[in-house]
Every structure is written in C-alpha cells, then in structure tokens.
Amino acid sequence: MGKSVLYIEMENCIGCRSCLAACTQCGGHDNRNRNYVYEVDPFNSRQTIPLMCLHCVNPACARSCPAQAIQIADTGAVLSALVEKCIGCQNCTIACPYGIPKFDEEQNLMYKCDLCYDRTKDDIPPMCASVCPTNTLQWLSEEELAEKQAQHKLANGKWTASMEPALEGETNVKISLPGILQGKAKLF
C-alpha cells in the first residue's frame, strides 16, 4: 500500500468552514481547531483558502525545539508537542514560516495540526478532508496524486505546487494553486 497525502485545491474553497468544525472532533484535539480558513482579499473577493500544517519533511518547528518535544511520525505527520517534554519556550511558533503552531498559555503547550494521526496512520482520511463538500481537501494515494499532478500541469493554466520556503525543503501536503499564484510557488 502506497503513502497517501493531503492534497489541497485552493481554488475550490467556498469558506464553509466544515474543515474547522471537523478538526475539533478529531481524537485528541480537545475540541480545538488546528487548521484555519483565511479570506484572501475580503474587500475585493469572497475567496477563502484553508491552511493547516504542511508537515514539512524537515520542519523548522521541530528543529527549533530544544526539548525535542515535536516528533515526526513514520507517516510524515509532524505531531503537536508532547506534553511531558514541552517546556513552553514557543520557539516552534516563531520558527514556523506559516504561523501554524499555536501556544496555549493555560496548558503551557504548543498545539497544531497533526494530520489526524490517529486516523491517517491507518490510511483513513483526516477529519478535514472527510467532510469537505467541494473537495478542496482530499486524501489521495500516490497514484491519485500523480494523476492530479498531470491533470493540473496541463489543464486551465494551473500548476501543481508545493508551498515551501527555500530552507524547509519538501512538504507532505501538496497544494494546487490557481493560475494567479503561479509565479509564487515552486513546482514539483
């Protein structure tokens, strides 16, 4: 069985925020959102985009943690800080180029999207992808991803892209961006 990945087709997002509601229901999330939906340009457009941890292959959040509280699962999921190890320094929240990790002052603990590890380790889609009505968020096998990549590189002037800063390297979440953002993304 091949590795599945979270694939995001940004242009499909309608801002329904079903992904946010589902995220709170995932096991171990303590009824807390770990992903976000942003308005792209609220004064000129109703376009929204989902954003969650991109599960970098070499994550800045984990590299910056002096207590090694952020673990990377064998599936590639970058997990939230371990309660017993997190010292509350917040280096991870500063280091992440996407602003994903959040810090809970009361618990003195970092939390973030863990790709619903309790589900995805068994190749069950993360909660956000399982409820998305427009297929903005999709859980794809390697074969399905290859098919999507070929489709998007050839169709409608869209590029299949991996959002990543130069220092981070590859991510485990793949993103399809609308043609308007083509020049701002690195191709696979």
Side-chain angles (χ1 to χ4, degrees), residues 58-74:
N58 186 15
C61 61
R63 288 193 325 262
S64 69
C65 180
Q68 297 179 335
I70 302 168
Q71 303 296 306
I72 303 167
D74 56 356

Side-chain angles (χ1 to χ4, degrees), residues 130-164:
S130 69
V131 301
C132 183
T134 60
N135 284 328
T136 299
L137 305 170
Q138 303 168 43
W139 188 244
L140 301 179
S141 67
E142 289 176 329
E143 296 80 25
E144 292 168 323
L145 177 62
E147 190 175 306
K148 284 275 188 188
Q149 288 174 328
Q151 194 177 36
H152 281 282
K153 283 182 182 175
L154 299 175
N156 302 323
K158 296 177 185 173
W159 300 58
T160 302
S162 174
M163 299 273 297
E164 60 195 67

Side-chain angles (χ1 to χ4, degrees), residues 67-140:
Q68 297 179 335
I70 302 168
Q71 303 296 306
I72 303 167
D74 56 356
T75 61
V78 180
L79 306 176
S80 287
L82 297 170
V83 176
E84 62 274 9
K85 286 189 168 188
C86 184
I87 59 173
C89 68
Q90 300 183 45
N91 284 358
C92 55
T93 62
I94 296 165
C96 177
Y98 307 110
I100 298 298
K102 299 300 180 221
F103 189 76
D104 184 322
E105 297 280 337
E106 287 181 22
Q107 291 186 346
N108 198 39
L109 183 68
M110 177 278 279
Y111 65 94
K112 59 176 259 334
C113 166
D114 61 3
L115 204 58
C116 293
Y117 182 69
D118 61 325
R119 297 169 56 92
T120 56
K121 68 179 171 55
D122 296 322
D123 205 31
I124 300 169
M127 293 294 285
C128 58
S130 69
V131 301
C132 183
T134 60
N135 284 328
T136 299
L137 305 170
Q138 303 168 43
W139 188 244
L140 301 179

Side-chain angles (χ1 to χ4, degrees), residues 13-90:
C13 184
I14 60 172
C16 69
R17 292 169 171 75
S18 295
C19 54
L20 301 183
C23 182
T24 63
Q25 301 303 309
C26 190
H29 285 190
D30 302 321
N31 293 322
R32 183 181 300 169
N33 271 337
R34 292 168 183 237
N35 55 19
Y36 315 95
V37 173
Y38 291 107
E39 295 177 1
V40 175
D41 186 1
F43 296 112
N44 295 315
S45 165
R46 299 185 79 185
Q47 180 65 51
T48 54
I49 58 169
L51 185 62
M52 58 275 305
C53 181
L54 297 180
H55 300 277
C56 301
V57 172
N58 186 15
C61 61
R63 288 193 325 262
S64 69
C65 180
Q68 297 179 335
I70 302 168
Q71 303 296 306
I72 303 167
D74 56 356
T75 61
V78 180
L79 306 176
S80 287
L82 297 170
V83 176
E84 62 274 9
K85 286 189 168 188
C86 184
I87 59 173
C89 68
Q90 300 183 45

